[in-house]
Amino acid sequence: MSSWGVLAFLWLACFCRGTLSCPALCTCYHRRGEVICNEVPLTEYPTVGLPKNTTLLTIQFTNITTISEEHLSATPLLQGLHLYSNRLQTLSPHLLRGVPHLNTLDLTGNKLGDLPADVFSHAPLHSLVLKNNLMDKADAEWLPGNSSLTWLDLSGNLLTKIPTALLQKLPLLENIDLSNNRLEKIPANSLELMTKVERLSLQGNKLDTLDASVFQSTRNLTYLFLSRNKLNKLPQNLFQQLTQLSHLGLDDNQLSHIPPGLLDQLSSLDDDGLDLTGNPWLCDGKVEYLWRWLQKNKKKAFLSENITCAGPQALAGRSVLSLTESELNL
């Protein structure tokens, strides 16, 4: 073999070895640019051996505790990064500066608390999932003012206040999940720039009431989940602007009555689209509006027969639908 032939062979061997590299304990699918490190004893981010053409990286159920800008710079073409259920405690500032194509970042099930400013800047994120971590605040400085984020999941954290400043920087949001936190109040202006939001989850918090104007700007809402709170009273015009709403969860609250007219604007509810179960309904004269609404809209109420009276004692356990006019003293 000529010297040129030898050189060509060596170059090709090195090239192939480089493009087909893969970190130890991980699986690489080179053709589709995907790397998966699943349930392996990794303690450090697997930078060595990561193919530079990686576009999708999943690292889950490992012992990795930190991740830095330098780590991610090893895969400059990355578009999706999924880091489920590791032991991440810290993220470096400017974390995404080396991945200018990243649009999806999922950090579910880690141990993240305080995060540095600009941690999620420098990449065109569309989806950011921070579910089931240890965050007691969500800082507006995490993201740039021109963020393209459409999906934000902060569920399962320790938030006591709705992150108004952060949300007001994200006018393109379509999905916001703040469920299973410790929210006690939603300021009236918190959602005023959320004109594109279609899905809002606030279930599993400590809300006992809502401002009458809180949903005034969210006219594109189709799914609204308020289940498992402490709501005991709702303003009459609370849902007046939500003419696109198809699903509304009000189950497992402390509602004994709802004001006349509350549900009248919700003409777009799907069948089984309204859940009112698990509330202590007081079946006196004030339940007339709910009773009449259920008579006309039985199909729209999820498990309508399970919407039952908590009192008075003579009617306890009865389905609201089954009551008669005489029993309600109408």
Side-chain angles (χ1 to χ4, degrees), residues 134-304:
L134 302 174
M135 285 176 271
D136 58 11
K137 64 178 181 179
D139 200 324
E141 301 305 315
W142 290 352
L143 288 154
N146 60 345
S147 173
S148 53
L149 211 63
T150 59
W151 185 294
L152 176 62
D153 188 342
L154 286 163
S155 62
N157 279 283
L158 307 174
L159 302 179
T160 56
K161 296 180 180 179
I162 196 164
T164 302
L166 175 63
L167 295 181
Q168 290 180 342
K169 292 179 68 174
L170 306 174
L172 300 181
L173 274 182
E174 297 173 0
N175 183 302
I176 313 171
D177 194 339
L178 295 166
S179 61
N180 301 317
N181 278 282
R182 300 177 180 180
L183 302 176
E184 297 181 359
K185 184 179 180 181
I186 304 179
N189 66 337
S190 299
L191 308 174
E192 64 181 359
L193 298 182
M194 303 290 97
T195 57
K196 295 183 181 296
V197 66
E198 298 176 0
R199 189 181 187 100
L200 173 60
S201 181
L202 293 162
Q203 63 188 17
N205 281 288
K206 298 182 178 183
L207 303 172
D208 58 9
T209 189
L210 294 167
D211 187 276
S213 64
V214 70
F215 301 126
Q216 189 168 357
S217 299
T218 57
R219 300 184 182 191
N220 285 318
L221 269 180
T222 54
Y223 292 84
L224 176 58
F225 302 101
L226 295 164
S227 313
R228 301 195 314 277
N229 277 284
K230 298 182 178 182
L231 295 171
N232 56 68
K233 186 177 181 181
L234 298 176
Q236 186 176 24
N237 298 323
L238 181 63
F239 305 129
Q240 188 171 12
Q241 304 298 331
L242 304 186
T243 56
Q244 308 297 317
L245 204 64
S246 60
H247 286 78
L248 173 61
L250 286 167
D251 47 301
D252 296 311
N253 277 284
Q254 297 298 317
L255 297 171
S256 56
H257 299 106
I258 56 173
L262 177 73
L263 306 176
D264 290 355
Q265 302 300 318
L266 303 181
S267 58
S268 59
L269 282 175
D270 289 346
D271 288 352
D272 293 329
L274 174 63
D275 194 344
L276 294 169
T277 61
N279 283 285
W281 299 107
L282 183 56
C283 294
D284 54 13
K286 291 182 180 180
V287 84
E288 178 184 359
Y289 170 71
L290 175 60
W291 177 72
R292 292 192 184 281
W293 190 90
L294 288 172
Q295 299 290 335
K296 295 178 181 179
N297 300 278
K298 180 179 178 180
K299 290 184 178 180
K300 293 188 176 183
F302 176 70
L303 296 177
S304 56

